Amino acid sequence: PVLGAGNASCTEACASIGRQCTVATLAALNPLVDTVEELGFLMSSLGANCTTYVSEWGTGTDVPNIQPDGTCYVSDTDRDSSTYDCDRVPDSGGVLSGKRRVCCEDALALLMSTLGANCTSYNSGFGTATDVPNINLDGTCYVSDSDRTEQTYDCDRVPDSGGVLSGKRRVCCCNETLPEPVQSCDHPVLGAGNASCTEACASIGRQCTVATLAALNPLVDTVEELGALIVSLGANCTTYVSEWGTGTDVPNIQPDGTCYVSDTDRDSSTYDCDRV
C-alpha cells in the first residue's frame, strides 16, 4: 500500500513508485481499510496518524483517505466495483484540501515480477475461472476476483484458452504439507453486543473460519454444555431456545440472558463468521 501526496489520485500515487493502480488492486486493499482499527494501523505503518474517523462516506470513490488535520475516512466492507476509481482526486465538496488517498500498488504485477514475469496488460473478465490468476505468453495477466467461493479454485486445472493449450502460466501457492484440519476450538470467545465472530476474534488477534465454528459446535449443542461455556466466559443463561439451532448467528446470548442453543448436526453452510 502507498499513501499518496496531497490532492493526488491513486493513479498518480502508484505511478510515483513505478507501479499501476487498478480497480482490482483497490478492491484487494479494502479488507485492510474497512474498520477504524485496521485503517488506523495501516496509516501508522505508512507514516501518518489518524486523530478522528469518519465512516459515513465509505463508498466514496476517493475513500480511504486522510485529511491534513488527521481525520481518516474509513471504507465500507462490502463495496461494489463501481465505487473504486483510480483517477479520482480526493477533495472536500469539490475543493482541494490536501487530502491524501490510500492506494494499493499493482499486487499482481509485483508478484509476477518477483516470479520473473511481467504483466503488459490485464484482463479482469474471468476472475473466478479455476485457472486464474495466470499470465499469457503475450504478457496478459488474468486478475482474480476478490470474493471467490471455494469451488472456483482447482489445483489440477490446466490453464487454457477456450480449450486450447496456449502456454498460459498459472500463479500457484504450494505448501510443504497439507494443513491439519481444525479438530477442536482452543479459544472460545464471547463477542461484544452486535459484533460478528469475525470482529470478536479479531479483537483478540485471532481469526474466525467455518472450520473453527464447526469445531466449537460440540461445546454448544446442548443446554448443559452451552450454559457451562457461557458461565466460563463470564455470562449466565437464564433461559434457553433450541428452535433456531442452525441460525448463522447461533449460538448466542441475548441481553436478558436468553441463550440460543446450536443443533448437533449442522451443515457447513449454516456457519457464517460475518453474521451480526
Side-chain angles (χ1 to χ4, degrees):
V2 61
L3 183 59
N7 305 325
S9 69
C10 280
T11 298
E12 296 167 321
C14 293
S16 71
I17 58 170
R19 302 200 179 276
Q20 184 182 24
C21 174
T22 67
V23 168
T25 61
L26 293 179
L29 170 71
N30 206 56
L32 304 178
V33 293
D34 61 350
T35 69
V36 166
E37 295 79 10
E38 289 169 320
L39 180 57
F41 178 81
L42 182 61
M43 284 294 190
S44 179
S45 72
L46 295 174
N49 289 290
C50 299
T51 55
T52 57
Y53 296 88
V54 175
S55 300
E56 283 76 12
W57 305 98
T59 58
T61 53
D62 61 349
V63 172
N65 64 58
I66 184 172
Q67 288 268 33
D69 65 1
T71 301
C72 286
Y73 287 75
V74 185
S75 182
D76 275 3
T77 298
D78 296 313
R79 293 183 60 166
D80 187 80
S81 60
S82 64
T83 67
Y84 298 111
D85 185 353
C86 288
D87 297 325
R88 170 71 188 276
V89 173
D91 58 66
S92 298
V95 178
L96 298 180
S97 57
K99 275 185 181 177
R100 304 175 67 187
R101 289 188 64 179
V102 185
C103 310
C104 194
E105 63 197 37
D106 191 337
L108 181 56
L110 178 60
L111 178 61
M112 285 295 189
S113 67
T114 65
L115 297 174
N118 290 289
C119 298
T120 57
S121 61
Y122 297 87
N123 189 323
S124 300
F126 300 92
T128 59
T130 54
D131 62 348
V132 170
N134 64 56
I135 183 170
N136 226 330
L137 289 179
D138 64 1
T140 301
C141 285
Y142 286 75
V143 184
S144 181
D145 278 3
S146 298
D147 298 314
R148 293 180 61 167
T149 57
E150 186 175 343
Q151 62 264 31
T152 68
Y153 297 106
D154 184 354
C155 289
D156 298 323
R157 170 72 187 275
V158 175
D160 58 67
S161 299
V164 178
L165 298 180
S166 57
K168 274 185 181 176
R169 303 174 66 187
R170 288 188 64 179
V171 184
C172 308
C173 184
C174 310
N175 288 335
E176 290 186 11
T177 58
L178 292 174
E180 291 293 327
V182 178
Q183 301 290 350
S184 62
C185 179
D186 64 352
H187 203 107
V189 61
L190 186 59
N194 304 323
S196 68
C197 279
T198 297
E199 296 167 324
C201 292
S203 71
I204 59 169
R206 296 179 181 270
Q207 186 179 24
C208 175
T209 67
V210 168
T212 60
L213 292 179
L216 170 70
N217 206 57
L219 304 179
V220 294
D221 60 350
T222 68
V223 166
E224 296 78 12
E225 289 169 319
L226 179 58
L229 180 62
I230 291 288
V231 167
S232 73
L233 296 174
N236 288 286
C237 298
T238 55
T239 56
Y240 295 89
V241 175
S242 299
E243 284 77 11
W244 306 98
T246 59
T248 53
D249 61 349
V250 171
N252 64 58
I253 182 172
Q254 291 269 28
D256 65 0
T258 302
C259 287
Y260 286 74
V261 185
S262 182
D263 276 4
T264 298
D265 297 313
R266 293 181 60 167
D267 187 79
S268 61
S269 63
T270 67
Y271 299 110
D272 184 352
C273 289
D274 297 322
R275 171 70 188 276
V276 174

